[in-house]
Amino acid sequence: MIIKPKVRGFICTTTHPVGCEQNVREQIEATRARGLDKQDGPKKVLVIGASSGYGLAARITAAFGYGADTLGVFFEKPGTEKKPGTAGWYNAAAFDKFAKQEGLYSKAINGDAFSHEARDKAIELIKQDLGQVDLVVYSLASPVRKLPDSGELKRSSLKPIGETYRATAIDTNKDAIIEAEVEPATEQEIADTQAVMGGEDWELWIDALDKAGVLAPGARSVAFSYIGTEITWPIYWHGALGKAKEDLDRAAGEIDKRLGEQDGGANVAVLKSVVTQASAAIPVMPLYIAMVYKVMKEQGLHEGTIDQLNRLFAERLYGGEAATDEAGRLRLDDWELRDDVQQACKALWAEVTTDNLFEITDYAGYKHDFLKLFGFERDDVDYDADVDPVRSFDVVEL
Ligand SMILES: NC(=O)c1ccc[n+]([C@@H]2O[C@H](COP(=O)([O-])OP(=O)(O)OC[C@H]3O[C@@H](n4cnc5c(N)ncnc54)[C@H](O)[C@@H]3O)[C@@H](O)[C@H]2O)c1
């Protein structure tokens, strides 16, 4: 099959298996180049949301930075003879191949991580293959959650609270600057967003793992959050998703107490804005990312997904006691939130038009990174060559 990109709104409906494999290889090489201290890191790791974005980068950092054995959980579609699979499927297949070449344990569960079945399967595999895990990374980003007991479907909303949000944004289909308008979330939508992206599911995971005895003494857990800046606050931190992330902070406190009893602990890690499938769906994020990337690249401060996770492991989770903010969070958004970076973004925000979009922001870089997420626009891949969309690997299907 010859596969070319087909973009619809904020997703690309096709994916390239070879391009995805090269993306994973590149992240592995970046991690190796950091020369992390293998003695001071995780050994056996469970990553929930392990197939793309920050979860994939966490898995790569654990395995290739520290030689850790990893079990990944994700929800992806395999490719068939007729149709490519999701990018996450190919990323996970590539990870599995490279980890096994390295002699590292790698196994995965493909299914709904919000279900009790996924937790039961993970516990079974940990008992069977690893005994216990010393790190649990929680990195789910999902628009829906099926509640595990009632089966009720909850949906998250990317909406402000209280007032209609009006802001400059990019129509990524037309590469044009528009005025976006988003109606405020209802009380029900806020509660539902919290049910999907808040901390309850993370707590259910830790509760199940702990009760099953598969958490090693001193085990740690980390879940990812975003706070952002004045520019994105109305739609994110002060919006429905922000309420969900506040609930993640609450859960971190509870889990930290629980794991603390065995000398372990839990934190929320606040990460910077990067191009992922999840961030592409949030109104205003593409434009904000195009600006902040421009500024941070110019200032030599740019970090991509893998750089953030390498730094999280080496300088926050391991390598001695790391400073946390007043809410106990590990902050990796420190460079992005620097005054000079934010002032420069605000200045660009006031100036941007459809005509100067490519010139004054890094929108070209944004678009490139977006297509790269699906395996496209890589110089080292021949996109006119026939490629087999079927990739199988060591994965348990739920
Ligand atoms: N992208 C950013 O700019 C950014 C910034 C800061 C924090 N974060 C946070 O990082 C976390 C991960 O986001 P991302 O941007 O890497 O997203 P992503 O879309 O790249 O990855 C999401 C992962 O979750 C998995 N997943 C989704 N629903 C699932 C389900 N029901 N069962 C099993 N797996 C499921 C996917 O398979 C994938 O592995 C989120 O908590 C997000 O808020 C993201």
Side-chain angles (χ1 to χ4, degrees), residues 164-344:
T164 299
Y165 173 57
R166 289 182 189 85
T168 313
I170 306 177
D171 175 339
T172 49
N173 285 319
K174 297 187 183 141
D175 297 340
I177 291 293
I178 52 164
E179 284 305 307
E181 203 175 285
V182 191
E183 291 296 316
T186 62
E187 286 303 319
Q188 187 62 49
E189 285 172 326
I190 298 167
D192 287 355
T193 305
Q194 183 171 318
V196 179
M197 288 298 286
E200 186 184 73
D201 182 63
W202 183 25
E203 288 181 285
L204 287 174
W205 269 96
I206 297 298
D207 183 56
L209 296 166
D210 193 18
K211 282 189 178 140
V214 296
L215 294 177
R220 301 194 58 157
S221 189
V222 63
F224 301 146
S225 187
Y226 180 70
I227 293 182
T229 81
E230 256 171 74
I231 299 171
T232 57
W233 278 344
I235 192 77
Y236 200 104
W237 187 243
H238 294 163
L241 260 177
K243 286 281 167 245
K245 293 299 192 186
E246 268 178 32
D247 187 60
L248 200 69
D249 286 336
R250 174 203 59 74
E254 295 298 324
I255 296 172
D256 188 53
K257 258 187 252 156
R258 183 169 188 158
L259 299 184
E261 285 167 19
Q262 294 221 45
D263 294 329
N267 296 93
V268 157
V270 184
L271 303 175
K272 77 179 280 278
S273 329
V274 290
V275 185
T276 67
Q277 292 186 55
S279 65
I282 302 172
V284 177
M285 276 319 264
L287 181 56
Y288 173 69
I289 291 177
M291 288 179 186
V292 81
Y293 270 32
K294 169 92 172 180
V295 173
M296 292 182 80
K297 281 178 183 175
E298 275 173 8
Q299 300 191 1
L301 294 173
H302 178 69
E303 286 179 302
T305 314
I306 193 69
D307 308 307
Q308 276 270 291
L309 264 285
N310 282 181
R311 187 152 75 95
L312 168 68
F313 276 62
E315 296 177 21
R316 302 286 193 276
L317 284 178
Y318 300 96
E321 196 70 14
T324 54
D325 70 8
E326 71 294 341
R329 310 180 194 103
L330 301 167
R331 301 299 294 253
L332 277 297
D333 57 348
D334 45 353
W335 300 352
E336 175 175 344
L337 294 192
R338 270 172 43 163
D339 261 358
D340 50 348
V341 171
Q342 288 306 314
Q343 289 309 328

Side-chain angles (χ1 to χ4, degrees), residues 49 51-54 75-76 111-113 139 141 224-225 245 272 274 276:
S51 55
S52 61
Y54 277 131
F75 208 4
E76 303 292 349
D112 183 7
S139 183
F224 301 146
S225 187
K245 293 299 192 186
K272 77 179 280 278
V274 290
T276 67

